[in-house]
Amino acid sequence: KKVNREKEKQTEEEISKLIDFSYKQKSIIAIQLDYVINGKYEDDILGVVYGYFEDNIYIQSINAGLVFCEMDLIRNVEIVSLDKWFSV
């Protein structure tokens, strides 16, 4: 069974920069939320930032449509290459 690894906890500034980059460049990102369910991290949210307002982020995800996320819940954001995107 797949277990998602714990990614580095980023600062709010690092997270904000990557969220803004995804929004402006329409770049695909992977977001790991900062909470554990049954001892495991949930799958990353994969998609492009559709918009944001204050601490609320809207992500157009690949498999769940439009996803809403609060900035305070984010542990890690990383830019995803197209190769990785299509291999998911």
Side-chain angles (χ1 to χ4, degrees):
K1 187 169 179 162
K2 177 181 162 190
V3 176
N4 295 317
R5 67 176 175 83
E6 178 181 0
K7 296 180 182 178
E8 175 189 347
K9 172 81 171 153
Q10 294 172 315
T11 66
E12 192 173 316
E13 184 180 349
E14 289 172 309
I15 291 168
S16 293
K17 283 181 183 176
L18 289 166
I19 295 292
D20 190 56
F21 181 82
S22 173
Y23 177 71
K24 289 179 178 172
Q25 301 297 319
K26 301 299 180 224
S27 297
I28 301 158
I29 55 172
I31 297 175
Q32 183 176 59
L33 300 179
D34 198 16
Y35 62 87
V36 176
I37 298 174
N38 296 325
K40 298 175 189 149
Y41 284 94
E42 290 288 294
D43 289 344
D44 291 351
I45 299 169
L46 288 172
V48 175
V49 176
Y50 184 77
Y52 56 94
F53 179 71
E54 294 177 352
D55 287 340
N56 303 315
I57 302 161
Y58 303 90
I59 302 121
Q60 183 64 51
S61 74
I62 61 167
N63 52 6
L66 195 59
V67 176
F68 164 80
C69 182
E70 293 179 34
M71 188 79 108
D72 294 351
L73 299 177
I74 298 174
R75 176 179 188 79
N76 183 283
V77 178
E78 56 188 15
I79 304 297
V80 177
S81 71
L82 285 179
D83 292 345
K84 190 172 181 181
W85 171 263
F86 286 112
S87 67
V88 169

